[in-house]
């Protein structure tokens, strides 16, 4: 397609379809990964290191009566057993969450979800630590749990958070946005109104590598080195300093190679804190690495939104307004990782890609006896839920109006000339050109032909479905004035150093978990300075080595840190001009830039390459006043707005009427993330996200029984897709650069996870249309699909 191939390009120079910084190059990080030479937290072994294990609660809600640790302490290999009481003595029993709540590090009063942390054993090896857990004797007084969020606010519901002063119910917050009256007026006057209840079930990011930490506290100098599975090392360090009282300059957080994050590694988990306490108590380094069940049962889940959507339209299909009411299940502690002022994340972008007259939403957050979390799994701060809501609703409307769902979308898109577009809930979409993306996806799919095939198959009683979704994302938080996490503004730093021989190192505040930053951020510098990417080292994930910044989530690395890197490179380029002028004995204003060198205007032969300038900067040429003898620079980038990538997805499914099995036969994904840095990495991100979508739409759910037992605690129960369940993805792209981003790039890391579930569910519902089925909740498992078909007249 256009823009492919390994050639340097510059979108600013007009060829906007061209990838930048040498484009589709192979990933610099892969030689170590494919040889098994990645260095993950569990690979770290320190002299004298001990191992920790966590005793977890077997029940969802219970008063803690007593803990007897004497037998465990008597185990010959056990060095320490830590309980909530011990932590109370250190003032560490409770830790602040990222959402202005507190969370128990170890239970002191009451167990609030199954799998909650009760005690921590430190022993000579991992096996002894685990064995000793069995020797701890705990007495619980079991309480009735709150499992169904719909019952959390009942008058007789047990109060889960009786630790919070004055708490008499399970309500966390009520939050609303948009104009309720204006929206009601539009609904009252509309020709057509449709409504649908839907559940975005609780799912889990389930990264390949579970969470873990190695804490190394030095009792002599009071310093702490903490190796951690974290997506945000700087923010973690600041929080540890605030909470544990260890001075910030004495803390070094290192996030080495990470085996997938997907939002699971944003928060601070009790296990990390316990590793630190264990190291302080024993005077030895302590490693804690959770197992798969611990990861699935206790770390940050995703979604769990119970939504009611309503849409108002004219009878010829002009959408006028969207309204929604949400019950948000946050689990036992409000620990969602999101900007402070956004209790429902960025759900308020539920207005989607459509030009509306009015919109209104209300979200009520409640506590239940389930694991805390909520914002994870490539959600773009709950844009997943928002896109699912609006894209399902548009299909419900299409069915009601008997219109083609693609046509209905085309009719309602925000038009190109309306950008920047201010939507009804306070966002300013930076740029968009929706119709060409939709048309391209339809062309790639052969949409008309597919509809014909479907009609023929229906005649024969075969169940084929075609599902469409069109999404707009909001990623790249964000302007400091709007977004912070626990008071830390959302900006990112970058430092660039060009060594005397012209090789460079760029230091980032964001942290890759598999996204390929070591490659793409080198490509940005390559684009700006003309130094080949292989000569640029990318350093990240170590607070001692990198500038402060808020880390990787919400697909913010390219929008924020990517902007920082482009600007820091331009700063170096500007400085290089002064040094080149001194070397060429000319005036800086007489120089002109071409990729990789400054030369004298009108005399292209007289110039200096970046490598020559770098050597010159460190050499003997007299530099002008104010120019330091190096080729280094640093910036902190506070973006003016978020970026709004978008995409058009079409899914084709076949449903087996006998078994209810859904087969995703084809999936066409057209994405627009503005200027594309590395098309291969973008495709990889999209393939991964589409696979997530198949998982959520068809297989994945973290369910609980009525006692609060987690039914998704292993990969035998929590099903994730493999190559067997996914088709060969058909990807395409359009390029609509962000007008405010230094290189025009928007994020892509979560687009496909956000955009694909509604396309798949729309396809399943479309396949089942002959049965009169208009909605089905995820996951559309064979059992659910089969059951939905029962008792309904079979199609002809
Ligand atoms: N990219 C590009 N051109 C663009 C936009 C992005 O070449 N216009 C490249 C980037 O330079 C980067 C990658 O694509 O190498 C993803 O960039 P971006 O969209 O900025 O997202 P982040 O790097 O901030 O990654 C975070 C995002 C999130 S929030 C989740 S969740 C998720 C995702 O990335 N987790 C992942 N993708 C993941 N991929 C892997 N392999 N592992 C995870 O844990
Ligand atoms: Cu919401 S998962 Mo990602 O933003 O780390």
């Amino acid at each position: 397609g256009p823009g492919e191939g390994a050639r340097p390009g510059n979108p600013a120079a007009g060829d906007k379809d061209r990838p930048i910084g040498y484009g589709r190059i192979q990933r610099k990080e892969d030689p170590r990964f494919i040889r098994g030479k990645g260095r993950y937290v569990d690979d770290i072994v320190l002299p004298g290191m001990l191992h920790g294990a966590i005793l977890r609660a077997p029940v969802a809600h219970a008063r803690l009566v007593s803990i007897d640790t004497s037998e465990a302490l008597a185990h010959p290999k056990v060095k320490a057993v830590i309980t909530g009481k011990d932590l109370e003595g250190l003032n560490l029993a409770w830790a602040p969450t990222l959402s202005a709540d507190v969370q128990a590090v170890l239970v002191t009063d009451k167990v609030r979800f199954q799998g909650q942390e009760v005690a921590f054993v430190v022993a000579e090896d991992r096996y002894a630590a685990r064995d000793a857990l069995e020797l701890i004797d705990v007495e619980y007084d079991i309480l009735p749990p709150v499992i169904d969020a719909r019952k959390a606010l009942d008058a007789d519901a047990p109060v889960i958070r009786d630790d919070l002063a004055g708490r008499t119910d399970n309500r966390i917050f009520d939050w609303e946005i948009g104009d309720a009256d204006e929206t009601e007026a539009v609904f009252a006057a509309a020709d057509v109104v449709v409504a649908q209840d839907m559940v975005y079930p609780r799912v889990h990011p389930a990264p390949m590598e579970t969470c873990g930490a190695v804490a190394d506290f030095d009792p002599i100098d009071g310093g702490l080195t903490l190796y951690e599975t974290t997506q945000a090392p700087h923010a973690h360090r600041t929080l540890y300093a605030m909470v544990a009282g260890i001075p910030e300059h004495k803390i070094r957080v290192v996030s080495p190679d990470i085996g997938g994050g997907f939002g699971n590694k944003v928060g601070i988990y009790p296990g990390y804190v316990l590793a630190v306490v264990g190291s302080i108590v024993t005077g030895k380094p302590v490693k804690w690495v959770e197992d798969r069940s611990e990861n699935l049962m206790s770390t940050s889940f995703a979604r769990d939104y119970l939504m009611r959507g309503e849409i108002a339209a004219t009878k010829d299909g002009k959408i006028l307004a969207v309204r929604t009411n949400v019950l948000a299940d946050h689990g036992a502690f409000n620990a969602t990782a999101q900007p402070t002022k956004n209790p429902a994340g960025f759900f308020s972008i539920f207005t989607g890609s459509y030009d509306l007259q009015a919109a209104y939403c209300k979200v009520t957050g409640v506590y239940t006896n389930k694991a805390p979390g909520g914002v994870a799994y490539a959600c773009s701060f709950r844009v997943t839920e928002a896109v699912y809501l609006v894209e399902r609703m548009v299909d419900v409307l299409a069915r009601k109006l008997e219109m083609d769902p693609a046509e209905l979308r085309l009719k309602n898109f925000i038009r190109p000339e309306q950008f920047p577009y201010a939507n009804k809930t306070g966002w300013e979409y930076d740029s968009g050109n929706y119709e060409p993306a939709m048309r391209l996806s339809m062309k790639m799919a052969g949409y008309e032909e597919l509809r014909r095939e479907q009609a023929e198959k229906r005649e024969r009683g075969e169940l084929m479905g075609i599902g469409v979704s069109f999404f707009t994302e909001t990623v790249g938080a964000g302007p400091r004035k709007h977004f912070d996490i626990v008071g830390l503004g959302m900006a990112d730093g970058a430092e660039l150093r060009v060594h005397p021989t012209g090789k460079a190192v760029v230091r980032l505040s964001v942290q890759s978990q598999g996204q390929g930053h070591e490659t793409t951020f080198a490509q940005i510098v390559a684009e700006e300075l003309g130094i080949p990417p292989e000569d640029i080292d990318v350093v990240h994930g170590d607070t001692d080595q990198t500038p402060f910044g808020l880390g990787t989530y919400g697909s913010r690395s390219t929008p924020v840190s990517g902007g920082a890197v482009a600007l820091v490179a331009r700063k170096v380029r500007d400085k290089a001009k002064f040094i080149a002028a001194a070397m060429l004995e000319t005036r800086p204003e007489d120089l002109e830039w071409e990729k990789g060198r400054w030369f004298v205007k009108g005399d292209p032969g007289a110039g200096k390459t970046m490598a020559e300038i770098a050597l010159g900067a460190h050499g003997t040429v007299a530099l002008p006043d104010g120019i330091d003898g190096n080729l280094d620079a640093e910036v902190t980038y506070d973006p003016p707005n978020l970026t709004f990538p978008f995409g058009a997805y079409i899914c084709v499914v076949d449903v087996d009427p006998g078994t209810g099995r859904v087969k995703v036969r084809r999936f066409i994904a057209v994405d627009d993330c503005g200027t594309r840095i590395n098309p291969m990495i973008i495709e990889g991100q999209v393939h991964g996200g589409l696979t997530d979508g198949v998982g959520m739409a068809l297989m994945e759910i973290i369910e609980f029984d009525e006692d609060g037992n987690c039914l998704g605690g292993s990969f035998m129960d929590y099903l994730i897709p493999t190559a067997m369940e996914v088709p060969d993805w058909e990807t395409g792209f359009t390029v609509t650069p962000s007008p405010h981003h230094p290189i025009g790039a928007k994020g892509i890391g979560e687009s496909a996870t956000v955009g694909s579930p509604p396309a798949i569910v729309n396809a399943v519902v479309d396949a089942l249309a002959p049965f009169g089925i208009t909605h089905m909740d995820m996951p559309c498992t064979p059992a659910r699909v089969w059951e939905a078909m029962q008792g309904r007249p079979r199609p002809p």
Side-chain angles (χ1 to χ4, degrees):
E4 306 298 305
R7 56 200 166 112
N10 185 352
D15 183 0
K16 72 179 176 65
D17 282 355
R18 209 188 256 189
I20 74 162
Y22 302 79
R24 183 186 285 272
I25 59 170
Q26 292 193 333
R27 303 201 326 162
K28 294 171 59 157
E29 39 275 88
D30 283 345
R32 73 173 185 278
F33 290 145
I34 61 178
R35 287 173 172 86
K37 296 289 182 194
R39 192 167 187 249
Y40 300 90
V41 166
D42 200 30
D43 293 321
I44 288 161
V45 176
L46 300 178
M49 187 173 80
L50 302 173
H51 297 261
I54 294 173
L55 180 72
R56 295 179 181 276
V59 292
H61 203 191
R63 205 153 286 289
L64 183 66
V65 179
S66 64
I67 306 189
D68 181 351
T69 60
S70 52
E71 246 189 276
L73 272 168
H75 187 292
K77 288 187 170 180
V78 167
K79 298 293 171 189
V81 180
I82 296 159
T83 65
K85 261 213 171 58
D86 303 325
L87 292 185
E88 263 174 345
L90 300 165
N91 204 17
L92 278 176
W94 294 83
T97 69
L98 296 177
S99 281
D101 195 355
V102 290
Q103 170 169 3
V105 177
L106 288 176
V107 171
T108 53
D109 54 342
K110 215 170 76 168
V111 168
R112 293 181 171 84
F113 67 92
Q114 188 191 44
Q116 195 182 340
E117 297 79 2
V118 176
F120 188 62
V121 171
V122 183
E124 282 169 22
D125 59 61
R126 185 174 163 93
Y127 308 98
R130 294 250 157 177
D131 284 349
L133 296 181
E134 314 252 312
L135 303 175
I136 300 174
D137 199 10
V138 188
E139 198 188 327
Y140 298 104
D141 183 7
I142 294 180
L143 301 168
V146 180
I147 302 306
D148 184 348
R150 297 175 192 90
K151 295 182 183 156
L153 297 176
D154 288 357
D156 60 350
V159 178
I160 298 168
R161 295 301 302 281
D162 51 356
D163 59 295
L164 299 172
R167 194 42 82 151
T168 55
D169 63 18
N170 295 313
R171 190 183 303 271
I172 307 174
F173 62 82
D174 279 307
W175 177 82
E176 57 178 349
I177 190 134
D179 190 323
D181 296 339
E182 186 184 46
T183 307
E184 174 51 34
V186 174
F187 267 86
D191 305 337
V192 184
V193 170
V194 286
Q196 179 65 52
D197 287 317
M198 59 186 90
V199 178
Y200 207 134
R202 176 175 282 238
V203 288
H204 198 283
M208 196 94 102
E209 175 201 34
T210 60
C211 298
V214 178
D216 185 11
F217 182 77
D218 181 339
I220 309 295
D221 77 352
L224 170 69
T225 304
L226 184 58
Y227 302 87
E228 235 195 2
T229 48
T230 172
Q231 300 178 214
H234 286 278
H236 274 210
R237 178 178 61 174
T238 302
L239 289 170
Y240 286 122
M242 287 171 167
V243 174
I246 304 172
E248 197 166 0
H249 68 294
K250 291 284 188 191
I251 306 176
R252 176 180 173 202
V253 174
V254 183
S255 187
D257 286 329
I258 300 293
F262 305 100
N264 193 230
K265 293 165 180 167
V266 178
I268 294 182
Y269 294 120
Y272 303 160
V273 180
L274 291 168
V276 173
V277 174
S279 181
I280 292 174
V281 167
T282 60
K284 295 274 172 60
V286 172
K287 176 185 281 185
W288 164 78
V289 177
E290 67 188 4
D291 66 21
R292 179 59 57 193
S293 293
E294 293 182 282
N295 181 258
L296 286 169
M297 289 176 68
S298 72
T299 63
S300 192
F301 72 93
R303 329 288 188 249
D304 222 342
Y305 259 32
L306 289 76
M307 309 185 275
R308 179 173 182 76
E310 291 173 279
I311 199 161
T314 64
K315 50 184 179 308
D316 56 351
K318 175 79 191 107
I319 301 172
L320 304 172
V322 179
R323 183 161 60 187
T324 171
N325 199 315
V326 178
L327 184 61
D329 184 339
H330 282 234
F333 306 99
N334 187 20
T336 57
Q338 64 201 355
T340 308
K341 281 172 244 163
N342 301 71
F346 295 169
F347 182 76
S348 55
I349 196 153
F350 68 89
T351 55
S353 312
Y354 311 107
D355 184 22
L356 304 179
Q357 291 177 9
Y360 172 73
C361 128
K362 182 170 176 237
V363 181
T364 298
V366 295
Y367 291 120
T368 59
N369 288 109
K370 301 181 196 166
V375 169
Y377 201 172
C379 67
S380 300
F381 296 127
R382 296 202 192 272
V383 181
T384 31
E385 290 91 323
V387 165
Y388 183 74
L389 177 98
V390 64
E391 289 307 292
R392 250 321 7 257
M393 286 317 299
V394 170
D395 256 45
V396 170
L397 177 67
R399 180 77 78 82
K400 168 97 178 181
L401 296 173
E402 295 178 353
M403 276 183 76
D404 180 89
E407 287 305 321
L408 180 58
R409 285 173 172 83
L410 281 162
K411 196 178 175 110
N412 285 284
F413 283 149
I414 300 163
R415 295 183 310 279
E417 67 275 14
Q418 290 177 286
F419 291 93
Y421 177 81
N423 88 334
K424 287 287 172 187
T425 55
W427 298 101
E428 189 185 283
Y429 296 21
D430 60 345
S431 65
N433 193 5
Y434 297 162
E435 185 175 337
M438 189 71 227
R439 297 261 182 229
L440 176 58
S441 70
M442 292 168 75
K443 188 167 158 241
M444 287 169 63
Y447 190 74
E448 303 299 322
E449 184 51 41
L450 284 172
R451 286 290 174 202
R452 268 195 297 278
E453 181 192 342
Q454 181 184 38
E456 281 167 24
K457 288 200 162 147
R458 277 193 182 160
E459 292 286 308
R460 300 200 294 268
E462 289 174 39
L463 303 176
M464 166 181 168
I466 305 164
V468 176
S469 81
F470 195 98
F471 65 92
T472 298
E473 272 218 273
T474 170
V475 299
R480 269 188 184 176
K481 60 178 187 285
H482 297 312
F483 302 111
D484 73 277
I485 289 187
V486 291
L488 302 169
M490 300 189 78
D492 276 291
E495 289 171 12
L496 177 61
R497 191 177 294 174
V498 184
H499 305 308
T501 58
K503 314 288 181 194
V505 56
V506 61
R507 298 165 190 281
L508 313 177
S509 58
V510 293
Q511 162 65 35
S512 168
Q513 304 98 46
Q515 297 89 340
H517 292 176
E518 289 166 50
T519 307
T520 48
F521 283 79
Q523 290 184 260
I524 298 174
V525 176
E527 173 74 19
E528 298 294 333
L529 296 184
I531 299 173
E534 60 271 22
D535 289 347
I536 302 158
D537 205 16
V538 175
V539 173
H540 60 157
D542 181 343
T543 55
D544 273 9
Q545 302 286 334
T546 58
F548 186 85
L550 273 241
T552 291
Y553 38 82
S555 301
R556 64 187 297 283
S557 302
T558 304
V560 190
S561 183
V565 167
L567 294 180
V568 83
R570 286 173 197 174
K571 223 168 160 177
V572 161
R573 192 167 75 199
D574 292 345
K575 181 172 180 179
K577 183 180 188 175
F578 286 92
I579 297 165
M583 294 170 78
L584 293 162
E585 297 180 353
T586 181
R587 295 181 310 167
E589 43 292 17
D590 292 336
L591 295 183
E592 203 170 309
W593 174 257
E594 73 177 353
K595 195 158 239 159
R597 67 194 280 271
W598 285 105
F599 66 94
V600 179
K601 271 179 210 156
D603 184 7
K608 293 286 176 194
T609 65
M610 280 305 290
E612 290 165 340
I613 299 167
L615 199 55
H618 294 90
T620 56
V621 180
L623 298 176
D625 282 352
I627 301 289
D628 287 343
N630 62 40
L631 203 45
D632 306 348
E634 57 180 70
V635 300
T636 295
Y637 179 60
D638 180 16
N641 191 4
L642 294 104
T643 66
F644 294 74
F646 56 91
Y649 290 178
I650 297 176
C651 175
V652 182
V653 301
D654 296 307
V655 176
D656 182 333
T659 63
R661 177 168 175 264
V662 176
K663 169 91 187 148
V664 178
R665 190 207 313 165
R666 288 182 66 196
F667 200 105
I668 295 90
V670 171
D671 272 278
D672 190 320
C673 58
T675 303
R676 292 152 59 86
I677 301 165
N678 187 322
M680 180 191 69
I681 285 181
I682 291 171
E683 279 162 24
Q685 291 291 302
V686 171
H687 289 184
L690 297 175
T691 306
D692 289 345
V694 169
M696 286 180 286
L698 303 181
M699 305 161 75
E700 300 174 8
I701 184 168
I702 299 280
E703 274 185 299
F704 296 83
D705 71 11
E706 58 191 21
D707 295 327
N709 293 307
C710 179
L711 305 179
S714 84
F715 281 157
M716 296 298 284
D717 309 294
Y718 187 70
L719 303 181
I720 58 175
T722 67
M724 297 295 289
E725 284 82 22
V726 301
D728 283 337
W729 308 112
E730 301 168 58
T731 58
F733 66 93
T734 59
V735 177
T736 311
S738 166
H740 63 78
H741 186 275
I743 60 168
K746 302 178 177 187
I748 188 68
E750 298 163 302
S751 292
T753 314
V754 166
S756 57
I760 301 167
V761 174
N762 286 346
V764 173
V765 174
D766 186 49
L768 301 179
F771 291 90
I773 289 166
T774 53
H775 177 72
M776 173 170 289
D777 280 329
M778 295 185 283
C780 303
T781 58
R784 282 193 187 186
V785 172
W786 185 84
E787 205 171 293
M789 290 187 285
Q790 302 314 301
R792 288 174 182 266
R794 275 194 70 91

